[in-house]
Amino acid sequence: MWSNFFLQQEDDGRVGTAALGGVGGKSGRSGKRLKPPRMSDSQEGKIKLAFFVALIGVTLTVLGMGTEFWVELSQPKHSRNNQTCEMAHYGLWKLCVRTLWVSDIDPERESCGPAELPGESNCTYFKFYTSGENAVIFKKTTEKRLHIAGAMLALFSLFLMIMGSVCITMSLSKSVPFFLKPATICFIFSGVLVFLSIIVFHQSVLALLASDHSIPLHHQLSWSVACLGSAGAILIFGGLIFLLLSLPYNPLEKCFPQQSSSDA
């Protein structure tokens, strides 16, 4: 009788242990976290190609922001004497006044320039970032608030480009498409801010010209603005590519379902 009792207790203990193990196993399996979807090799290659396009826009932005060829201001070439004339060109940070020889200028050109001609150059940095003083260019005074606003927009656009590049780098290193949407926002908004920076800077140039009318000046936007305009378009285009790559489906298949099914 006692032997049968102990055998029954052992069997009950085994059954209880097995039941607890089964419950624990189920809870362990149910507690597993779902892994984020991984990128395919083809999608990763497309992201790298789009990132290369965006980096071209970043490079053009840095090149344009660091130069002083945003705008050229030219006096009439015979305003001083028949031998030399003066012109100025500047960007966000620096102003250069150049003295050119009239004999080197195209005879059909009425104003002094262009800035690529050989001559003496005197360059200074703007002081309204440090002491708050306005610059005087050919008796005309700069509008520092507009100028600083354009510079801040350009710097903030550069910050968004860096953040977008970090997002794409993390997405490629982790092989997950989660960071594509933040990168899309960063690159598109950076391109928009680049265009806004150009517009605000041009308004500051117009305010400079309107400050004094004693000396007639001819002005034209230079090649740095062309670099920035191209950069803004490239950044917006790259951001739209990242947006398409972040979608869970191919938009072309949604737009042309019959063509995709016939090809299959």
Side-chain angles (χ1 to χ4, degrees):
M1 181 180 68
W2 290 106
S3 62
N4 293 334
F5 175 75
F6 286 118
L7 288 174
Q8 185 177 1
Q9 290 292 104
E10 291 178 0
D11 292 339
D12 293 340
R14 290 174 184 174
V15 171
T17 305
L20 290 174
V23 173
K26 290 180 181 178
S27 62
R29 286 192 296 270
S30 62
K32 288 183 179 179
R33 294 181 179 179
L34 296 176
K35 294 182 178 180
R38 312 288 289 183
M39 292 189 301
S40 61
D41 293 337
S42 61
Q43 187 180 13
E44 188 173 346
K46 294 176 183 177
I47 292 174
K48 290 181 179 179
L49 181 60
F51 189 35
F52 176 75
V53 173
L55 286 180
I56 294 177
V58 175
T59 304
L60 290 175
T61 303
V62 174
L63 177 63
M65 285 179 57
T67 58
E68 60 274 4
F69 290 92
W70 284 52
V71 67
E72 296 182 3
L73 303 176
S74 303
Q75 293 183 358
K77 62 180 180 181
H78 296 297
S79 60
R80 297 180 61 188
N81 51 56
N82 293 328
Q83 295 183 352
T84 60
C85 63
E86 284 187 340
M87 66 160 300
H89 59 88
Y90 64 92
L92 295 177
W93 327 106
K94 196 175 182 180
L95 164 68
C96 293
V97 178
R98 294 179 57 83
T99 302
L100 306 179
W101 294 98
V102 176
S103 58
D104 295 334
I105 302 173
D106 187 0
E108 298 182 356
R109 183 185 175 99
E110 296 181 357
S111 60
C112 188
E116 292 78 14
L117 293 177
E120 297 181 1
S121 181
N122 183 18
C123 298
T124 56
Y125 288 95
F126 289 115
K127 294 182 180 180
F128 37 68
Y129 296 109
T130 55
S131 60
E133 299 179 13
N134 277 311
V136 179
I137 308 172
F138 302 139
K139 298 183 180 181
K140 300 180 185 294
T141 306
T142 57
E143 181 62 42
K144 65 179 181 180
R145 290 178 296 179
L146 289 175
H147 201 104
I148 293 175
M152 293 301 103
L153 288 172
L155 288 177
F156 189 59
S157 68
L158 186 61
F159 171 75
L160 289 179
M161 294 174 209
I162 295 174
M163 295 301 297
S165 301
V166 171
C167 291
I168 296 300
T169 304
M170 293 178 64
S171 179
L172 292 175
S173 62
K174 302 294 184 180
S175 189
V176 291
F178 173 75
F179 296 100
L180 291 180
K181 291 182 180 179
T184 297
I185 297 173
C186 289
F187 282 115
I188 290 179
F189 273 95
S190 64
V192 173
L193 288 178
V194 166
F195 285 119
L196 289 177
S197 176
I198 296 174
I199 293 173
V200 173
F201 179 82
H202 187 241
Q203 292 299 316
S204 70
V205 174
L206 296 179
L208 169 74
L209 296 175
S211 63
D212 185 84
H213 299 282
S214 60
I215 300 178
L217 290 179
H218 172 75
H219 81 283
Q220 63 179 5
L221 299 178
S222 190
W223 59 269
S224 295
V225 174
C227 285
L228 287 167
S230 302
I234 292 173
L235 289 168
I236 294 175
F237 177 71
L240 293 176
I241 294 177
F242 288 132
L243 177 62
L244 294 177
L245 293 175
S246 65
L247 297 177
Y249 56 87
N250 189 353
L252 295 179
E253 294 180 357
K254 293 289 184 179
C255 296
F256 307 102
Q258 297 179 355
Q259 183 177 357
S260 60
S261 61
S262 62
D263 294 338

PDB file of all heavy atoms in Angstrom, residues 61-83:
ATOM      1  N   THR A  61      26.025  72.325 -51.644  1.00  0.00           N
ATOM      2  CA  THR A  61      25.607  73.291 -50.627  1.00  0.00           C
ATOM      3  C   THR A  61      26.799  73.819 -49.845  1.00  0.00           C
ATOM      4  O   THR A  61      26.930  75.027 -49.609  1.00  0.00           O
ATOM      5  CB  THR A  61      24.600  72.645 -49.667  1.00  0.00           C
ATOM      6  OG1 THR A  61      23.489  72.146 -50.426  1.00  0.00           O
ATOM      7  CG2 THR A  61      24.098  73.654 -48.655  1.00  0.00           C
ATOM      8  N   VAL A  62      27.681  72.909 -49.418  1.00  0.00           N
ATOM      9  CA  VAL A  62      28.868  73.330 -48.672  1.00  0.00           C
ATOM     10  C   VAL A  62      29.759  74.210 -49.535  1.00  0.00           C
ATOM     11  O   VAL A  62      30.308  75.229 -49.070  1.00  0.00           O
ATOM     12  CB  VAL A  62      29.639  72.094 -48.167  1.00  0.00           C
ATOM     13  CG1 VAL A  62      30.951  72.500 -47.509  1.00  0.00           C
ATOM     14  CG2 VAL A  62      28.787  71.309 -47.178  1.00  0.00           C
ATOM     15  N   LEU A  63      29.894  73.852 -50.818  1.00  0.00           N
ATOM     16  CA  LEU A  63      30.701  74.665 -51.723  1.00  0.00           C
ATOM     17  C   LEU A  63      30.120  76.060 -51.890  1.00  0.00           C
ATOM     18  O   LEU A  63      30.849  77.068 -51.841  1.00  0.00           O
ATOM     19  CB  LEU A  63      30.800  73.974 -53.089  1.00  0.00           C
ATOM     20  CG  LEU A  63      31.559  74.721 -54.193  1.00  0.00           C
ATOM     21  CD1 LEU A  63      33.022  74.905 -53.809  1.00  0.00           C
ATOM     22  CD2 LEU A  63      31.446  73.982 -55.520  1.00  0.00           C
ATOM     23  N   GLY A  64      28.809  76.152 -52.061  1.00  0.00           N
ATOM     24  CA  GLY A  64      28.189  77.464 -52.239  1.00  0.00           C
ATOM     25  C   GLY A  64      28.207  78.306 -50.980  1.00  0.00           C
ATOM     26  O   GLY A  64      28.418  79.519 -51.031  1.00  0.00           O
ATOM     27  N   MET A  65      28.008  77.678 -49.826  1.00  0.00           N
ATOM     28  CA  MET A  65      27.978  78.438 -48.574  1.00  0.00           C
ATOM     29  C   MET A  65      29.345  78.999 -48.202  1.00  0.00           C
ATOM     30  O   MET A  65      29.437  80.051 -47.564  1.00  0.00           O
ATOM     31  CB  MET A  65      27.476  77.537 -47.437  1.00  0.00           C
ATOM     32  CG  MET A  65      25.992  77.273 -47.457  1.00  0.00           C
ATOM     33  SD  MET A  65      25.505  76.180 -46.095  1.00  0.00           S
ATOM     34  CE  MET A  65      26.100  77.133 -44.695  1.00  0.00           C
ATOM     35  N   GLY A  66      30.406  78.312 -48.571  1.00  0.00           N
ATOM     36  CA  GLY A  66      31.734  78.743 -48.157  1.00  0.00           C
ATOM     37  C   GLY A  66      32.382  79.775 -49.046  1.00  0.00           C
ATOM     38  O   GLY A  66      33.476  80.268 -48.716  1.00  0.00           O
ATOM     39  N   THR A  67      31.760  80.134 -50.149  1.00  0.00           N
ATOM     40  CA  THR A  67      32.371  81.081 -51.086  1.00  0.00           C
ATOM     41  C   THR A  67      31.743  82.460 -50.948  1.00  0.00           C
ATOM     42  O   THR A  67      30.675  82.632 -50.343  1.00  0.00           O
ATOM     43  CB  THR A  67      32.203  80.584 -52.534  1.00  0.00           C
ATOM     44  OG1 THR A  67      30.805  80.421 -52.813  1.00  0.00           O
ATOM     45  CG2 THR A  67      32.902  79.249 -52.735  1.00  0.00           C
ATOM     46  N   GLU A  68      32.408  83.436 -51.535  1.00  0.00           N
ATOM     47  CA  GLU A  68      31.921  84.829 -51.504  1.00  0.00           C
ATOM     48  C   GLU A  68      31.483  85.299 -52.885  1.00  0.00           C
ATOM     49  O   GLU A  68      31.621  86.481 -53.229  1.00  0.00           O
ATOM     50  CB  GLU A  68      33.000  85.757 -50.951  1.00  0.00           C
ATOM     51  CG  GLU A  68      34.286  85.788 -51.720  1.00  0.00           C
ATOM     52  CD  GLU A  68      35.255  84.695 -51.305  1.00  0.00           C
ATOM     53  OE1 GLU A  68      34.896  83.844 -50.464  1.00  0.00           O
ATOM     54  OE2 GLU A  68      36.387  84.676 -51.827  1.00  0.00           O
ATOM     55  N   PHE A  69      30.942  84.375 -53.685  1.00  0.00           N
ATOM     56  CA  PHE A  69      30.493  84.718 -55.035  1.00  0.00           C
ATOM     57  C   PHE A  69      28.988  84.524 -55.162  1.00  0.00           C
ATOM     58  O   PHE A  69      28.509  83.955 -56.134  1.00  0.00           O
ATOM     59  CB  PHE A  69      31.237  83.864 -56.068  1.00  0.00           C
ATOM     60  CG  PHE A  69      32.685  84.211 -56.211  1.00  0.00           C
ATOM     61  CD1 PHE A  69      33.635  83.558 -55.454  1.00  0.00           C
ATOM     62  CD2 PHE A  69      33.101  85.207 -57.088  1.00  0.00           C
ATOM     63  CE1 PHE A  69      34.983  83.875 -55.572  1.00  0.00           C
ATOM     64  CE2 PHE A  69      34.438  85.539 -57.213  1.00  0.00           C
ATOM     65  CZ  PHE A  69      35.387  84.864 -56.447  1.00  0.00           C
ATOM     66  N   TRP A  70      28.244  85.015 -54.180  1.00  0.00           N
ATOM     67  CA  TRP A  70      26.795  84.945 -54.267  1.00  0.00           C
ATOM     68  C   TRP A  70      26.239  86.042 -55.169  1.00  0.00           C
ATOM     69  O   TRP A  70      25.309  85.810 -55.925  1.00  0.00           O
ATOM     70  CB  TRP A  70      26.190  85.068 -52.864  1.00  0.00           C
ATOM     71  CG  TRP A  70      26.302  83.827 -52.040  1.00  0.00           C
ATOM     72  CD1 TRP A  70      27.425  83.107 -51.791  1.00  0.00           C
ATOM     73  CD2 TRP A  70      25.241  83.164 -51.361  1.00  0.00           C
ATOM     74  NE1 TRP A  70      27.140  82.040 -50.996  1.00  0.00           N
ATOM     75  CE2 TRP A  70      25.809  82.056 -50.696  1.00  0.00           C
ATOM     76  CE3 TRP A  70      23.877  83.408 -51.210  1.00  0.00           C
ATOM     77  CZ2 TRP A  70      25.044  81.177 -49.926  1.00  0.00           C
ATOM     78  CZ3 TRP A  70      23.122  82.540 -50.431  1.00  0.00           C
ATOM     79  CH2 TRP A  70      23.699  81.430 -49.810  1.00  0.00           C
ATOM     80  N   VAL A  71      26.800  87.228 -55.082  1.00  0.00           N
ATOM     81  CA  VAL A  71      26.322  88.342 -55.887  1.00  0.00           C
ATOM     82  C   VAL A  71      27.510  89.208 -56.271  1.00  0.00           C
ATOM     83  O   VAL A  71      28.503  89.302 -55.532  1.00  0.00           O
ATOM     84  CB  VAL A  71      25.261  89.165 -55.113  1.00  0.00           C
ATOM     85  CG1 VAL A  71      25.880  89.863 -53.923  1.00  0.00           C
ATOM     86  CG2 VAL A  71      24.569  90.166 -56.015  1.00  0.00           C
ATOM     87  N   GLU A  72      27.424  89.823 -57.447  1.00  0.00           N
ATOM     88  CA  GLU A  72      28.438  90.760 -57.930  1.00  0.00           C
ATOM     89  C   GLU A  72      27.796  92.134 -58.104  1.00  0.00           C
ATOM     90  O   GLU A  72      26.748  92.267 -58.730  1.00  0.00           O
ATOM     91  CB  GLU A  72      29.033  90.292 -59.262  1.00  0.00           C
ATOM     92  CG  GLU A  72      29.800  88.984 -59.164  1.00  0.00           C
ATOM     93  CD  GLU A  72      30.413  88.576 -60.497  1.00  0.00           C
ATOM     94  OE1 GLU A  72      30.268  89.370 -61.469  1.00  0.00           O
ATOM     95  OE2 GLU A  72      31.002  87.496 -60.574  1.00  0.00           O
ATOM     96  N   LEU A  73      28.439  93.149 -57.539  1.00  0.00           N
ATOM     97  CA  LEU A  73      28.006  94.542 -57.667  1.00  0.00           C
ATOM     98  C   LEU A  73      29.044  95.295 -58.480  1.00  0.00           C
ATOM     99  O   LEU A  73      30.221  95.347 -58.085  1.00  0.00           O
ATOM    100  CB  LEU A  73      27.836  95.184 -56.283  1.00  0.00           C
ATOM    101  CG  LEU A  73      26.878  94.498 -55.316  1.00  0.00           C
ATOM    102  CD1 LEU A  73      26.898  95.198 -53.969  1.00  0.00           C
ATOM    103  CD2 LEU A  73      25.466  94.457 -55.882  1.00  0.00           C
ATOM    104  N   SER A  74      28.626  95.862 -59.585  1.00  0.00           N
ATOM    105  CA  SER A  74      29.571  96.489 -60.509  1.00  0.00           C
ATOM    106  C   SER A  74      29.217  97.946 -60.723  1.00  0.00           C
ATOM    107  O   SER A  74      28.060  98.293 -61.013  1.00  0.00           O
ATOM    108  CB  SER A  74      29.567  95.754 -61.859  1.00  0.00           C
ATOM    109  OG  SER A  74      29.863  94.390 -61.685  1.00  0.00           O
ATOM    110  N   GLN A  75      30.229  98.802 -60.605  1.00  0.00           N
ATOM    111  CA  GLN A  75      30.077 100.203 -60.986  1.00  0.00           C
ATOM    112  C   GLN A  75      30.232 100.350 -62.499  1.00  0.00           C
ATOM    113  O   GLN A  75      30.760  99.450 -63.170  1.00  0.00           O
ATOM    114  CB  GLN A  75      31.132 101.054 -60.284  1.00  0.00           C
ATOM    115  CG  GLN A  75      30.995 101.153 -58.784  1.00  0.00           C
ATOM    116  CD  GLN A  75      32.034 102.081 -58.185  1.00  0.00           C
ATOM    117  OE1 GLN A  75      32.883 102.629 -58.881  1.00  0.00           O
ATOM    118  NE2 GLN A  75      31.957 102.273 -56.870  1.00  0.00           N
ATOM    119  N   PRO A  76      29.779 101.485 -63.051  1.00  0.00           N
ATOM    120  CA  PRO A  76      30.111 101.757 -64.463  1.00  0.00           C
ATOM    121  C   PRO A  76      31.619 101.784 -64.655  1.00  0.00           C
ATOM    122  O   PRO A  76      32.356 102.315 -63.811  1.00  0.00           O
ATOM    123  CB  PRO A  76      29.467 103.123 -64.725  1.00  0.00           C
ATOM    124  CG  PRO A  76      28.362 103.214 -63.712  1.00  0.00           C
ATOM    125  CD  PRO A  76      28.861 102.489 -62.492  1.00  0.00           C
ATOM    126  N   LYS A  77      32.094 101.213 -65.733  1.00  0.00           N
ATOM    127  CA  LYS A  77      33.542 101.038 -65.875  1.00  0.00           C
ATOM    128  C   LYS A  77      34.282 102.356 -66.083  1.00  0.00           C
ATOM    129  O   LYS A  77      35.504 102.405 -65.922  1.00  0.00           O
ATOM    130  CB  LYS A  77      33.851 100.083 -67.017  1.00  0.00           C
ATOM    131  CG  LYS A  77      33.403 100.535 -68.383  1.00  0.00           C
ATOM    132  CD  LYS A  77      33.768  99.479 -69.420  1.00  0.00           C
ATOM    133  CE  LYS A  77      33.337  99.882 -70.820  1.00  0.00           C
ATOM    134  NZ  LYS A  77      33.683  98.845 -71.822  1.00  0.00           N
ATOM    135  N   HIS A  78      33.590 103.429 -66.420  1.00  0.00           N
ATOM    136  CA  HIS A  78      34.239 104.730 -66.562  1.00  0.00           C
ATOM    137  C   HIS A  78      33.817 105.683 -65.444  1.00  0.00           C
ATOM    138  O   HIS A  78      33.857 106.906 -65.624  1.00  0.00           O
ATOM    139  CB  HIS A  78      33.896 105.347 -67.917  1.00  0.00           C
ATOM    140  CG  HIS A  78      34.414 104.548 -69.085  1.00  0.00           C
ATOM    141  ND1 HIS A  78      35.762 104.342 -69.311  1.00  0.00           N
ATOM    142  CD2 HIS A  78      33.740 103.897 -70.063  1.00  0.00           C
ATOM    143  CE1 HIS A  78      35.905 103.594 -70.404  1.00  0.00           C
ATOM    144  NE2 HIS A  78      34.695 103.311 -70.886  1.00  0.00           N
ATOM    145  N   SER A  79      33.416 105.161 -64.289  1.00  0.00           N
ATOM    146  CA  SER A  79      32.974 106.027 -63.197  1.00  0.00           C
ATOM    147  C   SER A  79      34.148 106.718 -62.504  1.00  0.00           C
ATOM    148  O   SER A  79      34.022 107.844 -62.030  1.00  0.00           O
ATOM    149  CB  SER A  79      32.182 105.211 -62.174  1.00  0.00           C
ATOM    150  OG  SER A  79      33.004 104.178 -61.634  1.00  0.00           O
ATOM    151  N   ARG A  80      35.305 106.062 -62.424  1.00  0.00           N
ATOM    152  CA  ARG A  80      36.464 106.644 -61.740  1.00  0.00           C
ATOM    153  C   ARG A  80      37.384 107.343 -62.737  1.00  0.00           C
ATOM    154  O   ARG A  80      37.574 108.547 -62.718  1.00  0.00           O
ATOM    155  CB  ARG A  80      37.230 105.561 -60.995  1.00  0.00           C
ATOM    156  CG  ARG A  80      36.423 104.886 -59.879  1.00  0.00           C
ATOM    157  CD  ARG A  80      37.250 103.823 -59.183  1.00  0.00           C
ATOM    158  NE  ARG A  80      38.437 104.403 -58.556  1.00  0.00           N
ATOM    159  CZ  ARG A  80      39.408 103.680 -58.025  1.00  0.00           C
ATOM    160  NH1 ARG A  80      39.342 102.355 -58.066  1.00  0.00           N
ATOM    161  NH2 ARG A  80      40.455 104.271 -57.466  1.00  0.00           N
ATOM    162  N   ASN A  81      37.978 106.591 -63.621  1.00  0.00           N
ATOM    163  CA  ASN A  81      38.854 107.131 -64.661  1.00  0.00           C
ATOM    164  C   ASN A  81      38.822 106.166 -65.830  1.00  0.00           C
ATOM    165  O   ASN A  81      38.033 105.215 -65.849  1.00  0.00           O
ATOM    166  CB  ASN A  81      40.286 107.336 -64.123  1.00  0.00           C
ATOM    167  CG  ASN A  81      40.811 106.084 -63.438  1.00  0.00           C
ATOM    168  OD1 ASN A  81      40.839 105.016 -64.033  1.00  0.00           O
ATOM    169  ND2 ASN A  81      41.223 106.225 -62.184  1.00  0.00           N
ATOM    170  N   ASN A  82      39.655 106.397 -66.784  1.00  0.00           N
ATOM    171  CA  ASN A  82      39.662 105.558 -67.981  1.00  0.00           C
ATOM    172  C   ASN A  82      40.586 104.350 -67.852  1.00  0.00           C
ATOM    173  O   ASN A  82      40.758 103.616 -68.834  1.00  0.00           O
ATOM    174  CB  ASN A  82      40.094 106.391 -69.197  1.00  0.00           C
ATOM    175  CG  ASN A  82      39.073 107.453 -69.548  1.00  0.00           C
ATOM    176  OD1 ASN A  82      37.878 107.257 -69.345  1.00  0.00           O
ATOM    177  ND2 ASN A  82      39.557 108.575 -70.072  1.00  0.00           N
ATOM    178  N   GLN A  83      41.211 104.150 -66.699  1.00  0.00           N
ATOM    179  CA  GLN A  83      42.169 103.053 -66.549  1.00  0.00           C
ATOM    180  C   GLN A  83      41.662 101.936 -65.646  1.00  0.00           C
ATOM    181  O   GLN A  83      41.833 100.763 -65.970  1.00  0.00           O
ATOM    182  CB  GLN A  83      43.501 103.599 -66.008  1.00  0.00           C
ATOM    183  CG  GLN A  83      44.201 104.551 -66.969  1.00  0.00           C
ATOM    184  CD  GLN A  83      45.547 105.008 -66.428  1.00  0.00           C
ATOM    185  OE1 GLN A  83      45.895 104.745 -65.284  1.00  0.00           O
ATOM    186  NE2 GLN A  83      46.300 105.713 -67.270  1.00  0.00           N
TER     187      GLN A  83
END
